[in-house]
Amino acid sequence: MRRFFTTCFILILFFACTDDYDNPIPSYPVYIEVDFQTPRDKDLKGTPSFCVYTPKNKKARESIGFGGVLVVNTIYNEYKAFDLSCPNETNRNVIVEVQDDLNAVCPTCGSKFEVILNSSSGICIGGATKYSLRSYYVIRNGNNGLYVRNSQ
């Protein structure tokens, strides 16, 4: 009986710690080096602010996920990162755009996501989808930059 409970406990831990949560955006490699000293990234030092990383502005060794990456500096001076692809459309060419109200909106289905204000978690706050934006890990690199990755 003890072995049964131990096995169940291990299985629960295994499945609870998986990164494959219920999100229709496929997991693609993400690795971005943000350097606040460069023209591409300097605006992220301000709060609130954001920067979009797509094939047009990525560095040679960087990977930008499924549809690109949105890195934000929230009103609480916390850095967050999300895939730009709308989880309702699941098309790497349909990407959300940050609006004047500092929320991200899908131009196709109209889904609206909280990315800079309040919880800044990428959750859908209106529109057609029930999914949040796929989020990525942000790691501080001293005072001069960040690393954005899809695994720790």
Side-chain angles (χ1 to χ4, degrees):
M1 187 67 140
R2 185 174 186 190
R3 186 177 290 200
F4 171 75
F5 285 117
T6 303
T7 304
C8 288
F9 180 72
I10 290 171
L11 286 174
I12 289 170
L13 284 178
F14 177 76
F15 287 112
C17 295
T18 180
D19 283 340
D20 291 332
Y21 61 98
D22 187 28
N23 191 305
I25 299 299
S27 180
Y28 272 58
V30 173
Y31 180 76
I32 299 172
E33 293 181 6
V34 175
D35 181 354
F36 297 140
Q37 307 305 315
T38 64
R40 177 185 84 157
D41 305 326
K42 68 179 179 170
D43 291 339
L44 275 173
K45 285 190 86 166
T47 178
S49 59
F50 68 94
C51 192
V52 172
Y53 298 89
T54 64
K56 294 177 186 174
N57 69 348
K58 78 177 192 79
K59 296 175 186 171
R61 64 178 180 249
E62 292 181 330
S63 301
I64 56 165
F66 183 66
V69 175
L70 170 66
V71 178
V72 300
N73 187 356
T74 71
I75 60 172
Y76 304 110
N77 202 29
E78 295 175 313
Y79 291 95
K80 307 273 183 142
F82 307 98
D83 201 286
L84 284 167
S85 291
C86 175
N88 190 59
E89 301 299 321
T90 60
N91 179 338
R92 66 183 343 162
N93 297 317
V94 178
I95 61 173
V96 298
E97 300 167 353
V98 178
Q99 304 294 305
D100 291 338
D101 65 358
L102 301 179
N103 291 303
V105 177
C106 174
T108 303
C109 71
S111 293
K112 191 176 200 177
F113 304 91
E114 193 170 80
V115 292
I116 296 179
L117 302 173
N118 301 322
S119 73
S120 307
S121 61
I123 62 170
C124 181
I125 56 174
T129 189
K130 65 178 183 175
Y131 299 103
S132 298
L133 294 174
R134 180 175 282 282
S135 62
Y136 299 120
Y137 295 102
V138 178
I139 301 154
R140 296 286 307 236
N141 180 16
N143 291 328
N144 295 325
L146 312 165
Y147 296 113
V148 179
R149 303 189 304 205
N150 60 338
S151 63
Q152 287 185 326

